[in-house]
Amino acid sequence: MRKYWSFYWPLALTGVAMVLAVQFQNGALARYPNAVQEIAVFALAASTFGFFNAGMNFTAQLSNVFARSPGGRRASQGFVAAWSLMLTVPLAAVALTPPGALLVSTIYGIDEGLTDRVLRYLALMLPLLFVTGQRMFLVGMLVQAHLTGWVTALNVVFLVATIATLVAGFSAGLDAVYTLVGAQTAAALLHWGLVHIAVAKRYRNPERPEHEEVTWLELARFFLPVTATGFMFAISRPVLYAFVSRAPEGLASIAAMRIAFDLSSIFQQAANQFRHFFVTFGLSDLPAKRRFMALVSVGITGVMLLIALTPVSGWLFGTALGIDGITLERALDVLLVLCLMPTVIIVRNYFHGVLMVRRRTGGMALGGVLRVGAIVAAAQALFLLDMLDHIAATYVLLLGFVAETAVVASTARRLNGAE
């Protein structure tokens, strides 16, 4: 347990630091004129970008598994670079072409003015796909070498850089688009440079090198199914927003959901670190690993409930972030429902870990597809019944994750790796 905890807690803090950066972005937007619209526009832009950026979600796991020799590092890092550039092409088509504008307008049901603002965000975010892929690849190497303390420290630097550039942009009177994307870009570039230095100074190849002759085909067989899981996760929010935006006071609901989802992501990111946990420690002594994960689940949920059920949540959303009115009320409602999410994600990630270690990631892709299918079906039904408000939409999101968990649990058990 001590070994597991010493490995896990820096990664949990890493998730907190990364998601706190998003909270400060929301806080900056809340201080602009017409804050509800600004937050809603950023929610739509970030969700659209997040779909493409999800292709980078498992980059750290790829390098943890395959960058275990000089040859393995060269092949897998080159694969990540090519993959990130491939993803940039369709994102550029969405951000820079008339068909892309029509697609965004149609999916979200928004007018031309809002569509233009969403597209401005996306155009400025284009370089971030490549940067994210490279820096997450290097982070995976630090995790592989158990240098998780360095991962946390560098992400704290990322957070501080984000806050500093947000304050600078807002104080200079820059448009919200330039303030938000400028902060993201500056922090990402600084983090990339520092993590590169950390790997050069601290990383050492394993005593027994592996994957020296790995091919891009082998990398694709491992990476593309887990990446499909990331895509399905990223599309979950846009699917919900597409339905909610057509409901009465849809923008206010989207802004509230964005605020609550981002705060709950602090706890969900802590739960997601168990993917590194299994890739690093393997499948030995599973009962002890399950006990450790159960203890973490209780702790995460307890802290989240403490925030949601006390005036702390009102202070965070209202005083710290500057949210008020109907947006604040709805954000508090959504946050309470989301207290169920960390446990579901930890159970899902237990089976994700089993499938990744056993290199049977196809089950993860299937689970992700069925999650989105469940969300679409439930959201459509509630929308037709005129019952899709911010609370119902949050339960729909939770239902999708439960469906995904059932699929990956069934797949893992068939492989005799989860019992």
Side-chain angles (χ1 to χ4, degrees):
M1 287 290 184
R2 187 178 296 110
K3 178 176 65 175
Y4 294 159
W5 179 248
S6 63
F7 175 85
Y8 171 79
W9 76 261
L11 291 179
L13 288 181
T14 291
V16 171
M18 298 299 284
V19 178
L20 277 177
V22 178
Q23 297 302 315
F24 282 98
Q25 290 172 352
N26 291 335
L29 288 171
R31 286 159 174 79
Y32 276 90
N34 201 3
V36 171
Q37 185 180 100
E38 291 288 357
I39 294 172
V41 167
F42 184 61
L44 298 177
S47 295
T48 306
F49 175 79
F51 173 74
F52 297 93
N53 194 59
M56 302 291 104
N57 282 358
F58 287 87
T59 303
Q61 283 78 15
L62 179 77
S63 62
N64 193 342
V65 172
F66 289 100
R68 294 176 176 265
S69 66
R73 175 178 176 177
R74 285 192 300 272
S76 51
Q77 193 166 17
F79 176 85
V80 169
W83 175 246
S84 62
L85 292 174
M86 285 177 59
L87 289 176
T88 303
V89 173
L91 178 58
V94 172
L96 303 175
T97 68
L102 179 62
L103 180 65
V104 169
S105 176
T106 302
I107 289 175
Y108 294 124
I110 54 178
D111 60 32
E112 184 178 351
L114 293 178
T115 299
D116 287 344
R117 291 188 63 78
V118 170
L119 296 180
R120 286 176 65 196
Y121 272 110
L122 295 179
L124 293 171
M125 289 176 172
L126 287 174
L128 288 176
L129 285 177
F130 181 83
V131 174
T132 297
Q134 292 303 302
R135 65 191 184 91
M136 290 299 100
F137 179 89
L138 295 172
V139 165
M141 295 183 66
L142 293 178
V143 173
Q144 178 201 118
H146 293 207
L147 297 171
T148 52
W150 279 87
V151 176
T152 299
L154 294 176
N155 279 300
V156 170
V157 173
F158 177 92
L159 174 62
V160 172
T162 300
I163 296 170
T165 47
L166 283 172
V167 171
F170 181 79
S171 300
L174 296 180
D175 185 274
V177 174
Y178 299 113
T179 298
L180 269 291
V181 180
Q184 289 178 308
T185 303
L189 289 173
L190 176 62
H191 182 265
W192 183 17
L194 293 177
V195 76
H196 179 80
I197 293 171
V199 169
K201 297 289 186 182
R202 302 289 298 176
Y203 178 81
R204 297 292 180 272
N205 286 311
E207 292 183 4
R208 295 182 179 179
E210 302 176 53
H211 307 298
E212 181 66 41
E213 303 297 329
V214 68
T215 66
W216 279 21
L217 180 59
E218 292 175 82
L219 294 169
R221 285 173 177 166
F222 172 88
F223 187 69
L224 295 185
V226 297
T227 298
T229 301
F231 283 135
M232 293 302 104
F233 173 80
I235 205 174
S236 300
R237 285 196 196 184
V239 164
L240 276 180
Y241 292 158
F243 285 100
V244 174
S245 66
R246 291 169 169 80
E249 298 181 319
L251 283 182
S253 291
I254 290 175
M257 292 166 67
R258 160 81 187 185
I259 295 295
F261 285 172
D262 288 345
L263 180 61
S264 71
S265 292
I266 293 174
F267 305 95
Q268 294 172 31
Q269 284 289 343
N272 274 330
Q273 302 310 319
F274 282 111
R275 290 165 174 162
H276 285 299
F277 181 68
F278 277 94
V279 170
T280 302
F281 290 107
L283 299 179
S284 62
D285 197 13
L286 285 180
K289 288 184 171 69
R290 285 195 287 263
R291 287 195 299 272
F292 178 70
M293 295 176 76
L295 289 172
V296 172
S297 177
V298 170
I300 291 174
T301 303
V303 173
M304 195 171 178
L305 282 170
L306 183 64
I307 292 173
L309 295 174
T310 66
V312 173
S313 56
W315 179 87
L316 283 173
F317 290 154
T319 304
L321 297 181
I323 309 301
D324 56 19
I326 189 173
T327 304
L328 174 60
E329 294 175 9
R330 293 183 179 185
L332 294 174
D333 292 338
V334 171
L335 181 64
L336 187 58
V337 177
L338 289 172
C339 290
L340 298 168
M341 189 68 81
T343 296
V344 175
I345 287 181
I346 284 178
V347 174
R348 181 202 66 173
N349 285 349
Y350 172 83
F351 296 108
H352 271 191
V354 170
L355 294 176
M356 281 193 290
V357 171
R358 295 176 71 85
R359 311 285 175 86
R360 300 295 295 273
T361 52
M364 296 171 63
L366 177 61
V369 171
L370 292 181
R371 181 217 304 156
V372 174
I375 290 173
V376 170
Q380 177 68 31
L382 291 174
F383 180 76
L384 293 175
L385 293 171
D386 197 24
M387 297 173 60
L388 188 66
D389 61 6
H390 57 292
I391 296 176
T394 307
Y395 277 114
V396 167
L397 183 68
L398 184 66
L399 171 66
F401 278 93
V402 172
E404 178 191 18
T405 301
V407 172
V408 295
S410 175
T411 303
R413 287 189 172 120
R414 286 200 300 272
L415 295 172
N416 297 318
E419 299 294 340

